Amino acid sequence: MTPGPGRPTVSVVIPVLDDAPALEGCLAALAAQTRAPDEVIVVDNSPGAADEATAALARGAGARVVRETRRGVGAASAAGYDEARGTVIARLDADSRPAPDWVETALRELADPRVHAVTGPGTFYDIPGLRGLLAALAYHLPLRAVGARFHDSAEGLAAAEEILALEI
């Protein structure tokens, strides 16, 4: 993965716990991106034996599979971040369905030198009623963190130290 002049490389990390059917849709959505990620890392977070169905599906879609036996999205995500080679790391859940311009949009936002992190909208189809509506509305607020400073935490992840401004 060698970037061209001024072209960032993108790694997408997807932690998965026994959910090959949901992962299939996520990988299909990544394959349809207007700007393809440079690598996709699927982190198998199954307890005990590896989830061979998830691994086969991921490899069939061209993803690299990483195993993390410490349970939880945090541990699985961290394992994927540690393996990522891209200059930009994006994360999805196995049941995520990113829009076709998801990678392209993130890179456009990150081209602003004041922007260090971006997030996008979310739709929660598995949270019923008012709670689901409120969660979706929170994700649709057009916020951008500008001027954030980051440091390495004890776990090796970049942690936000200070947010200087939010653009609304």
Side-chain angles (χ1 to χ4, degrees):
M1 178 176 17
T2 306
R7 183 179 187 268
T9 54
V10 178
S11 297
V12 177
V13 173
I14 309 169
V16 181
L17 176 61
D18 302 324
D19 206 357
L23 178 62
E24 186 172 16
C26 183
L27 293 172
L30 283 174
Q33 292 294 299
T34 56
R35 197 300 198 170
D38 297 283
E39 73 174 342
V40 176
I41 300 168
V42 172
V43 183
D44 178 2
N45 198 217
S46 300
D51 181 351
E52 294 304 327
T54 295
L57 177 69
R59 287 187 185 106
R64 189 158 45 108
V65 178
V66 173
R67 184 95 167 95
E68 177 54 63
T69 57
R70 292 176 297 149
R71 291 292 299 270
V73 171
S77 296
Y81 302 151
D82 288 346
E83 292 290 324
R85 298 180 190 131
T87 56
V88 172
I89 300 174
R91 194 185 79 73
L92 292 170
D93 291 326
D95 61 353
S96 296
R97 302 296 180 265
D101 64 345
W102 180 70
V103 171
E104 181 182 341
T105 300
L107 290 175
R108 184 173 52 250
E109 291 295 323
L110 288 168
D112 181 338
R114 301 171 302 150
V115 176
H116 299 276
V118 295
T119 186
T123 301
F124 298 90
Y125 56 85
D126 57 347
I127 303 175
L130 183 58
R131 284 184 42 217
L133 177 63
L134 292 174
L137 287 174
Y139 266 82
H140 287 276
L141 291 175
L143 299 177
R144 291 191 326 158
V146 178
R149 290 193 298 232
F150 294 87
H151 67 278
D152 288 330
S153 69
E155 295 81 30
L157 300 175
E161 181 180 275
E162 178 182 353
I163 301 291
L164 301 177
L166 286 176
E167 289 185 357
I168 299 178

